[in-house]
Amino acid sequence: TGLTGTKYDTGDGANTYHTFPAQLRIGNVMTFSGGTPVKELMNTGTLHLVSGALTADELIATNGAASILRFDGGTLSAGAMTVANGAPVTIGDGTAPAALVLTGSNGYTFADGLIVNSGGTLSAGGTGVVRQVTLTGDVTFLSGSLYDWDCNTETTDVTHVAGTLTLPASMTVRVRQTGGGSVVPGVLLSADAIAGSVSGWTVEGADA
């Protein structure tokens, strides 16, 4: 992990921010866990995730071109995200494995869209966790991307896109059942508008 620049804190209580006005490059494991209601903010500078894992309660990049998020590889787990910097958030560089794990529910806004690249994974809740999540902004899965879907006897993951969901000709859905018994039918993805189809999708998992 390499960090340049000086961290500075502003505000207090529910409005405490920890800002890195430079470049934070992640290559192993880092956890930002200030705890509710403290917010974790990267709003000025560059966050470049190349491998390893980064966990944050909240990630904010809303300072235009001054707040750059590069997600080339590794795992980013976030309880909430607000990104409005003039560029879509892209999961993976198309070569290295990359996963965005949504550990919250509704606090995800991608003003310029979210793209799941080839080799990239979108996961609601993470392995073994069933969660319903809403993403605000357009979401595009590219060919070779993956979507993790957890389910149990009572409920399933559901990712709703408050925007346009674009589906590729081929992608993989990994089904992960938690617990035993019969799994209830569920919706994989929903959206305000959908382009594309699921005709070329591959489903993986013992209970698929």
Side-chain angles (χ1 to χ4, degrees), residues 4-164:
T4 59
T6 302
K7 185 192 83 166
Y8 62 89
D9 299 343
T10 58
D12 56 65
N15 296 309
T16 299
Y17 298 92
H18 311 288
T19 303
F20 296 94
Q23 185 178 87
L24 177 63
R25 183 180 175 91
I26 307 298
N28 46 34
V29 178
M30 179 171 286
T31 300
F32 293 162
S33 55
T36 304
V38 175
K39 296 181 179 180
E40 305 301 338
L41 174 67
M42 193 295 298
N43 204 27
T44 304
T46 299
L47 173 62
H48 186 192
L49 185 61
V50 293
S51 62
L54 172 65
T55 302
D57 293 338
E58 184 171 16
L59 191 152
I60 303 173
T62 57
N63 201 25
S67 51
I68 300 171
L69 175 60
R70 289 184 59 189
F71 186 7
D72 291 341
T75 300
L76 172 60
S77 301
M81 293 179 68
T82 303
V83 182
N85 59 2
V89 175
T90 301
I91 304 174
D93 61 3
T95 302
L100 176 60
V101 181
L102 311 172
T103 57
S105 296
N106 299 315
Y108 299 95
T109 298
F110 302 96
D112 303 289
L114 173 68
I115 298 172
V116 188
N117 212 341
S118 177
T121 299
L122 181 65
S123 175
T127 302
V129 178
V130 175
R131 191 173 299 277
Q132 289 76 47
V133 179
T134 297
L135 309 182
T136 300
D138 297 337
V139 176
T140 300
F141 286 87
L142 299 183
S143 292
S145 58
L146 301 96
Y147 176 63
D148 284 345
W149 189 71
D150 292 276
C151 54
N152 56 36
T153 58
E154 297 179 354
T155 188
T156 70
D157 281 347
V158 179
T159 299
H160 176 71
V161 176
T164 299

